[in-house]
Amino acid sequence: MSDNVNNSDSFDEYFENIGYRFDESFSDGWERLTQSVKNFYNKTTDKFENELSLPVAQQYVNDALQKFVTDNVKSILELRVEMHDDWFRLYCTIDISGIYIEVASNFSLIHVQLDRNVQRFVFGQQTYTDVLNLRCESFIKRQGIKLFIWFYHRILKKDPLGFILSYINIARAKDEVIYLDINRWLKKNKKIISTLHKVQVNYGELEEEQMILKTQINYRDLLAASSNEDIISDADEPELMQGPINPVADATEPSQV
């Protein structure tokens, strides 16, 4: 756990490198590129809409969870993932109201959206939650937790993980889909938001120990930057996630307060 905390800055450095990489790729002959884009942008829009595949190691994803979720929520002691081809296993350790519980469940990645306004991950739950460890301050509370889980699995034919994450205000669940918005914490990080004005993530795919983000360069914002216009202004600051999240059926729509 301490290693994750010590390495949490690596996610910041990773995003900074992304921005640096794109800046560097356009630094040579920038004036010529700018003029070319201005002259031919409307005729060649399709050429600029090609997506780039950006691999993100499992370590960086866990660093992000540590930095933007675990470090900001007292009741979450650990939140991490193990990635595999087309699915991942989520581990969560919670300590709240005299209850210490370690759980794990398998998920698919339904949707990823990372841009200037919305930073969201949407997961589809594939298995019931496994209780790996459970400790309570009283025997009665322990039996109550076991009964709660049994009731969800056997009677409701559902899994309680979504309810638990909603209760501690981490994510919201609808059916077997969990919505995790991190922009309430991420929007304060100017470095990452600045990068998301240049490069946006449209969706993601899972492979063994890594996530492949399908990204697209925001050429108009890069052109604005070349003209010394401010990419980030007060009006650009996202105001989503000021309070509880209410998930919507369409995962691509921003959460509503």
Side-chain angles (χ1 to χ4, degrees):
M1 189 70 177
S2 59
D3 289 341
N4 284 340
V5 175
N6 293 335
N7 292 330
S8 63
D9 287 341
S10 61
F11 185 74
D12 268 347
E13 295 172 1
Y14 180 75
F15 245 96
E16 185 176 29
N17 288 337
I18 294 173
Y20 177 77
R21 190 187 314 168
F22 280 106
D23 288 342
E24 282 292 297
S25 66
F26 292 102
S27 61
D28 296 334
W30 178 255
E31 292 184 0
R32 179 171 56 85
L33 173 66
T34 300
Q35 189 60 43
S36 297
V37 173
K38 287 180 178 179
N39 291 339
F40 300 106
Y41 179 82
N42 291 331
K43 297 180 181 180
T44 59
T45 301
D46 57 323
K47 294 182 180 180
F48 298 111
E49 292 180 348
N50 294 334
E51 289 181 328
L52 305 176
S53 295
L54 183 67
V56 182
Q58 177 177 291
Q59 173 190 344
Y60 289 120
V61 175
N62 286 327
D63 286 343
L65 291 173
Q66 174 73 38
K67 185 177 183 66
F68 299 114
V69 181
T70 308
D71 290 349
N72 288 281
V73 182
K74 185 178 180 180
S75 57
I76 295 286
L77 301 184
E78 183 181 40
L79 190 65
R80 63 181 177 86
V81 297
E82 290 182 356
M83 294 182 177
H84 305 280
D85 289 332
D86 297 326
W87 67 281
F88 69 94
R89 188 162 178 80
L90 175 69
Y91 293 86
C92 184
T93 301
I94 302 172
D95 188 358
I96 186 172
S97 301
I99 302 171
Y100 175 92
I101 185 170
E102 299 174 12
V103 297
S105 187
N106 296 346
F107 292 87
S108 61
L109 180 63
I110 294 178
H111 180 69
V112 177
Q113 182 179 354
L114 297 171
D115 56 40
R116 68 180 69 189
N117 294 318
V118 178
Q119 296 89 49
R120 159 178 289 181
F121 293 86
V122 183
F123 311 130
Q125 191 164 0
Q126 296 182 334
T127 64
Y128 280 166
T129 299
D130 296 323
V131 178
L132 306 179
N133 192 6
L134 175 61
R135 299 197 302 268
C136 299
E137 60 186 12
S138 70
F139 175 79
I140 294 178
K141 184 172 290 188
R142 178 183 174 86
Q143 295 305 111
I145 295 296
K146 289 184 175 182
L147 179 61
F148 171 78
I149 296 174
W150 177 87
F151 178 78
Y152 256 84
H153 288 173
R154 295 297 182 87
I155 305 301
L156 298 182
K157 305 298 183 182
K158 297 180 179 180
D159 190 80
L161 182 60
F163 170 82
I164 294 172
L165 293 178
S166 298
Y167 179 77
I168 60 180
N169 199 28
I170 293 298
R172 287 293 179 268
K174 186 174 183 180
D175 298 326
E176 301 301 320
V177 178
I178 293 179
Y179 300 72
L180 174 63
D181 286 271
I182 62 174
N183 52 1
R184 51 178 157 174
W185 305 301
L186 195 63
K187 71 176 184 177
K188 297 179 182 179
N189 191 309
K190 300 298 184 181
K191 183 189 303 179
I192 295 178
I193 293 299
S194 177
T195 299
L196 291 178
H197 277 71
K198 301 173 184 177
V199 184
Q200 68 183 41
V201 177
N202 299 324
Y203 64 99
E205 298 174 350
L206 294 174
E207 295 183 358
E208 198 69 25
E209 296 188 350
Q210 68 176 356
M211 178 189 300
I212 307 299
L213 298 179
K214 301 299 183 177
T215 63
Q216 189 173 20
I217 301 174
N218 296 327
Y219 283 91
R220 287 181 175 177
D221 283 334
L222 287 171
L223 290 174
S226 72
S227 302
N228 295 322
E229 298 178 10
D230 290 335
I231 288 183
I232 300 180
S233 65
D234 292 339
D236 289 325
E237 287 293 333
E239 297 181 355
L240 302 177
M241 293 297 299
Q242 296 293 329
I245 315 166
N246 295 320
V248 293
D250 186 350
T252 63
E253 292 296 325
S255 295
Q256 302 297 316
V257 175

